[in-house]
Amino acid sequence: MTELDIHIPQLPRFKRESPRIVKVLDEIRFEIDKKGDEYFEFYWFAREYPRFYRYHVDNIEFRLNTIHKLYEYHRDDFLKREGSKEYGNCFEMATSTIFSFQIYWEFEALLGAVNSALDLIARICGVAYDEQTPVSLNKISSKKNLIGLVDHLRTAKEDWINEMKDYRDCFVHYTPVDNRVFVTIYKSSDVWKMWCKIPTNPNIREVDGFRFSKKRDLLRYSLQVYKNLMKLDKRIAEDIMVSYNKGDFPKRISHLFYIGKRTRK
């Protein structure tokens, strides 16, 4: 083991308590439960769907933890070998093992969980409107007549969600980063860094067209997506509570289940 170290971004401190949307809907449903049977269906909606959302947030945090541990594994493995006859005094090294692939498998799972969490936020936002709203973020955001909570979704969609969905679509429908993935450890000035490449232009959706930059690292990007999701969670929760205190939330308290049911011939 040498005295050098390799910088890995720190994980945020994951709170043991529920996301803010869950806490706000719990507070509202406990008060609404006292108002009478007409709110019975909304009570169960406000209990169940925020918990489905929390399930996916817990999944995201688990994936971040796992990716971080896999980065640490690669760092520790490099530090054991650096300076040996095998590696010498290298300035860059790329390795591809089953643990390298696992980073990308976890990243794919993280993207799926973020996408599911966003659709559940959209579904929760839907009860703020009189009309029946779509159950996906993309579709509810496209309804130009809706203002308020959906405006937060539209802003987030432009700022970061569209790009995140491009990454997800690459893995799910098109092509992953490559047919063989590497973890690269390199020296930049006097600092050692680790890089798991993801394309800077995921909307291309084809390996031959991908461009890469060491400024775009898988773990750093994943942490930013999580940070953005938690900001959105906070904004939506705060606006829901403000609307509730004004008597404007919920506007729809029935026909909240079996929405989007798929019928096959």
Side-chain angles (χ1 to χ4, degrees):
M1 180 74 71
T2 66
E3 293 182 357
L4 69 86
D5 197 4
I6 300 166
H7 176 70
I8 298 175
Q10 288 187 340
L11 291 174
R13 182 175 294 179
F14 299 129
K15 297 179 181 179
R16 293 186 178 181
E17 58 188 24
S18 295
R20 295 196 183 195
I21 287 176
V22 181
K23 294 167 68 176
V24 163
L25 267 295
D26 276 348
E27 185 176 343
I28 290 172
R29 71 185 176 89
F30 289 144
E31 291 189 14
I32 277 182
D33 189 40
K34 304 172 185 176
K35 294 185 178 182
D37 292 342
E38 64 177 310
Y39 287 95
F40 177 79
E41 186 176 342
F42 175 79
Y43 176 91
W44 283 105
F45 177 92
R47 180 185 187 276
E48 295 302 311
Y49 279 94
R51 277 158 176 73
F52 298 151
Y53 164 65
R54 184 177 64 191
Y55 167 89
H56 292 296
V57 172
D58 288 343
N59 187 4
I60 295 163
E61 293 176 355
F62 173 81
R63 303 300 171 182
L64 283 172
N65 264 312
T66 305
I67 292 170
H68 194 269
K69 288 177 181 177
L70 288 163
Y71 267 58
E72 291 178 330
Y73 169 84
H74 284 82
R75 176 197 62 191
D76 294 345
D77 183 67
F78 175 79
L79 292 177
K80 290 177 183 177
R81 300 172 185 272
E82 196 276 332
S84 66
K85 291 182 180 180
E86 180 183 2
Y87 288 89
N89 295 316
C90 66
F91 290 90
E92 183 170 318
M93 182 205 73
T95 184
S96 181
T97 68
I98 189 68
F99 300 107
S100 310
F101 275 82
Q102 190 178 345
I103 290 174
Y104 287 85
W105 295 335
E106 294 292 337
F107 180 60
E108 180 179 355
L110 180 144
L111 295 174
V114 173
N115 191 69
S116 297
L118 290 169
D119 280 346
L120 281 164
I121 290 177
R123 186 158 188 166
I124 291 167
C125 289
V127 298
Y129 303 96
D130 292 316
E131 66 180 85
Q132 180 64 61
T133 55
V135 296
S136 74
L137 183 139
N138 280 342
K139 290 182 178 179
I140 195 173
S141 298
S142 68
K143 295 185 73 65
K144 297 180 180 179
N145 62 306
L146 300 181
I147 60 173
L149 292 178
V150 174
D151 289 327
H152 292 306
L153 303 182
R154 293 191 186 102
T155 299
K157 197 169 181 293
E158 292 296 321
D159 288 347
W160 63 275
I161 292 173
N162 284 339
E163 184 178 56
M164 185 279 302
K165 286 179 175 287
D166 283 337
Y167 281 115
R168 175 187 171 274
D169 287 350
C170 283
F171 280 92
V172 175
H173 301 296
Y174 295 92
T175 176
V177 174
D178 209 335
N179 58 16
R180 186 178 180 187
V181 294
F182 291 85
V183 177
T184 301
I185 296 173
Y186 65 99
K187 194 172 185 180
S188 176
S189 299
D190 292 328
V191 180
W192 285 89
K193 297 180 180 179
M194 189 178 302
W195 179 46
C196 290
K197 69 177 185 178
I198 53 175
T200 58
N201 57 336
N203 59 312
I204 295 296
R205 300 179 177 182
E206 293 293 346
V207 171
D208 288 346
F210 285 158
R211 297 194 301 270
F212 300 95
S213 168
K214 287 180 178 174
K215 294 180 180 179
R216 178 61 63 94
D217 168 69
L218 184 150
L219 176 57
R220 289 176 175 82
Y221 175 76
S222 300
L223 290 169
Q224 186 60 52
V225 166
Y226 175 77
K227 181 179 179 181
N228 291 337
L229 178 64
M230 291 299 97
K231 284 183 179 179
L232 181 62
D233 172 84
K234 179 181 178 181
R235 292 191 185 106
I236 295 294
E238 288 175 348
D239 276 14
I240 285 176
M241 184 52 73
V242 169
S243 295
Y244 174 73
N245 288 333
K246 290 180 179 180
D248 294 331
F249 183 93
K251 287 188 176 178
R252 191 156 40 85
I253 60 175
S254 61
H255 304 292
L256 305 179
F257 297 93
Y258 303 104
I259 304 302
K261 180 181 176 181
R262 178 176 295 173
T263 302
R264 293 185 175 89
K265 294 181 180 180

